[in-house]
Amino acid sequence: MLTQIKGLHHISSLASDANRTNAFFTRTLGLRRVKKSVNQDAPDMYHLYYGNALGDQASAMTFFPIPHARPGRRGTGEVGVTNFTVPKGSLSAWADRLALGGATDIAFGQSFGAALVAFTAPDGDSFALIEGDDPRAPWTGSGVGEDMAIRGFHSASLRLKDSGATRELLHFMGYQDLESDGAVTRLHLPDGEHAAIIDIETLPTVERARQSAGTVHHIAFAVPDLIAHEEVRKTLEDTGWGITPSIDRYYFQAAYFRTPGGVLFEISTNGPGFDVDEDSAQLGQNLILPPKFEAHRDQIAAALPHMEE
């Protein structure tokens, strides 16, 4: 069993419009854009990162905007809901803000005893804000006060036709069953740091999701450093998982593998972080390219859609 995984690192989704995505996640949700960069596998596409004050572990929601991408189809074999932590007593104010800011399907509810407000983002992504105590520093520079600002991820859910093999994989990754509620089983990392919860929703009769705008591309799990990253990667490889070699994403080291239920998992290091190439006070304000792309900056910038700030 692996012991190096500490919780979620980031979650990356597909979007259809960079400006609409940017407006919703900064103005409506009040997150900080901590990096304006490009997809390192397709540099004619933005990679936009949104998080708390410094884009800490388990706070970064990232997007690959594909102009005019058709809506994805929600279903099984995907991340179902991404959950953020917000302060207790803030849900009513959040519901009002979401209604004014372009969210739909806004509904109050509960998740294993914790109060939440669920909503759908403009591309059709499913999110929820869950009340809880969270010591991470929020971002308050986008007009959302500290009394309600998002702290980071709380958890994420996986929607699967058959949960057995993925659940066994999560057990191998250090997760333990915590409790169940109907078709949903909650797993947690007993020694996790942030966003150490994964919910598995088993939906045997639901068709497979189709990935496009409004769906999650991959979900990343955090390890502390390069040594832990290679230990986890090698152990998964030796156990038969088709994991990629370690890939330098500049802000973190990454390795990817497809789970039995169809969800793409990534293992990511917590460093060097988003301030490796920008002053922490200026994060996300300018187009930042990894060094391998700098020689082509003019061509890359010309191919990217104009972004309103």
Side-chain angles (χ1 to χ4, degrees):
M1 185 182 75
L2 298 170
T3 59
Q4 301 93 332
I5 294 171
K6 300 303 179 186
L8 294 182
H9 185 279
H10 67 272
I11 296 175
S12 294
S13 289
L14 303 176
S16 62
D17 185 280
N19 283 298
R20 185 174 65 174
T21 297
N22 189 70
F24 185 79
F25 282 86
T26 57
R27 297 174 197 166
T28 301
L29 294 189
L31 293 172
R32 185 182 193 186
R33 191 176 72 199
V34 295
K35 193 63 61 179
K36 178 184 177 183
S37 190
V38 294
N39 182 337
Q40 295 184 33
D41 298 321
D44 59 344
M45 180 192 305
Y46 281 118
H47 194 177
L48 306 174
Y49 299 72
Y50 302 93
N52 62 12
L54 294 175
D56 293 330
Q57 177 212 325
S59 80
M61 187 76 208
T62 93
F63 289 90
F64 302 111
I66 304 170
H68 312 298
R70 65 176 180 170
R73 182 182 65 220
R74 305 311 308 272
T76 54
E78 68 169 351
V79 173
V81 183
T82 300
N83 303 305
F84 294 100
T85 304
V86 295
K88 292 178 180 178
S90 66
L91 294 184
S92 291
W94 269 115
D96 293 341
R97 186 178 185 88
L98 290 165
L100 292 171
T104 57
D105 305 319
I106 300 164
F108 293 98
Q110 294 265 328
S111 175
F112 293 92
L116 63 80
V117 60
F119 63 95
T120 301
D123 267 315
D125 327 47
S126 295
F127 293 95
L129 306 178
I130 299 181
E131 287 189 338
D133 296 320
D134 192 321
R136 288 175 289 177
W139 175 245
T140 57
S142 297
V144 178
E146 188 169 355
D147 60 337
M148 63 183 287
I150 290 170
R151 266 47 180 183
F153 294 133
H154 172 278
S155 56
S157 70
L158 309 180
R159 306 179 83 223
L160 307 173
K161 273 188 175 291
D162 183 342
S163 64
T166 301
R167 190 169 162 188
E168 288 183 14
L169 168 63
L170 287 166
H171 290 165
F172 185 68
M173 291 169 62
Y175 285 82
Q176 296 180 8
D177 292 354
L178 189 60
E179 52 187 322
S180 295
D181 182 4
V184 180
T185 298
R186 171 158 288 185
L187 297 88
H188 77 132
L189 288 167
D191 297 320
E193 294 176 353
H194 299 298
I197 293 171
I198 294 289
D199 292 333
I200 294 181
E201 185 177 9
T202 306
L203 302 165
T205 63
V206 174
E207 64 181 334
R208 287 291 293 265
R210 183 187 67 236
Q211 196 169 80
S212 191
T215 66
V216 169
H217 182 268
H218 63 266
I219 179 170
F221 296 83
V223 295
D225 51 38
L226 288 170
I227 293 173
H229 188 266
E230 185 54 25
E231 289 172 348
V232 169
R233 198 202 66 78
K234 188 69 167 61
T235 300
L236 288 166
E237 184 177 60
D238 291 345
T239 312
W241 296 100
I243 191 166
T244 67
S246 185
I247 301 171
D248 184 0
R249 295 303 193 196
Y250 199 54
Y251 309 113
F252 47 84
Q253 205 75 12
Y256 306 83
F257 66 106
R258 186 74 62 179
T259 66
V263 183
L264 184 61
F265 278 12
E266 176 182 336
I267 307 299
S268 301
T269 58
N270 276 335
F274 297 118
D275 58 356
V276 68
D277 55 5
E278 287 185 285
D279 184 272
S280 59
Q282 306 298 320
L283 290 179
Q285 295 186 20
N286 300 304
L287 176 64
I288 301 296
L289 301 178
K292 64 182 179 179
F293 293 132
E294 272 297 342
H296 308 288
R297 172 175 284 274
D298 290 346
Q299 300 96 304
I300 289 171
L304 293 169
H306 171 72
M307 275 194 68
E308 301 169 3
E309 299 301 332

